[in-house]
Amino acid sequence: MRRSKDVAISRLKLSNPWHLLATGFGSGLSPIMPGTAGSLAAIPFWYLMTFLPWQVYSMVIMLGICIGVYLCHQTARDMGVHDHGSIVWDEFIGMWITLMALPVNDWRWVAAGFVVFRILDIWKPWPIRWFDRNVHGGMGIMVDDIVAGVFSAGIIYLIGHHWPIGLF
């Protein structure tokens, strides 16, 4: 098992822009919890995106999804593994969707969004698990994290805007 992972990673070329993006600028190459590392690496990019009008922010996410389907498919094909752990562009998109719902841009809400997204992305409750198991290719890599991001955003939105006393 370890050898096949090493072979797959050896096929990555970070000089290839698709591989660089698919690995979250290399964050997915973390030897421990690459998905978590990718989710953390998405936060500084999200912060920069907060300076954009929400319509542009939304367009960046939609473009990121479209490009992500291709680059995740291409990188997985180049690596010879369907959804290798080092491919974390889907975590970037899932985090960006989650963080759209913050009631205020405060580090505690960012941390809450991160935790909720990671729990749903790792646990994969229905329907996230269904998408993970039944959709293949680049869209299959992306869609479970998109759905986890939407659910996470919903949870954060409900807590942040409708919780009787608020969290923070």
Side-chain angles (χ1 to χ4, degrees):
M1 179 73 165
R2 180 76 181 138
R3 176 149 162 62
S4 64
K5 284 187 174 191
D6 291 340
V7 168
I9 288 178
S10 73
R11 295 178 180 148
L12 275 176
K13 304 290 181 249
L14 295 183
S15 58
N16 178 328
W18 298 127
H19 292 187
L20 184 65
L21 285 174
T23 61
F25 303 96
S27 63
L29 297 174
S30 170
I32 55 169
M33 301 188 313
T36 300
S39 296
L40 281 171
I43 293 172
F45 294 97
W46 162 80
Y47 178 73
L48 294 174
M49 289 167 47
T50 64
F51 294 102
L52 300 171
W54 70 268
Q55 299 94 333
V56 177
Y57 181 115
S58 299
M59 292 296 292
V60 169
I61 290 175
M62 288 184 226
L63 181 63
I65 291 169
C66 294
I67 291 171
V69 169
Y70 175 78
L71 70 91
C72 289
H73 172 78
Q74 186 64 39
T75 302
R77 196 184 87 200
D78 292 348
M79 293 178 80
V81 178
H82 165 62
D83 189 1
H84 192 273
S86 66
I87 298 174
V88 295
W89 183 254
D90 49 333
E91 272 79 11
F92 271 58
I93 298 297
M95 278 297 297
W96 294 346
I97 292 170
T98 299
L99 297 176
M100 285 179 85
L102 300 184
V104 293
N105 286 350
D106 178 274
W107 71 268
R108 295 172 293 183
W109 281 108
V110 174
F114 171 79
V115 169
V116 170
F117 174 72
R118 289 310 301 149
I119 287 170
L120 292 180
D121 189 35
I122 293 167
W123 179 36
K124 297 194 187 315
W126 185 90
I128 300 166
R129 179 173 289 139
W130 186 90
F131 284 105
D132 185 55
R133 292 181 177 170
N134 293 293
V135 183
H136 305 289
M139 181 55 83
I141 294 170
M142 295 286 299
V143 73
D144 64 305
D145 290 86
I146 293 167
V147 175
V150 169
F151 275 87
S152 300
I155 291 167
I156 292 298
Y157 180 85
L158 287 173
I159 293 170
H161 294 282
H162 299 289
W163 197 262
I165 56 172
L167 284 183
F168 308 115

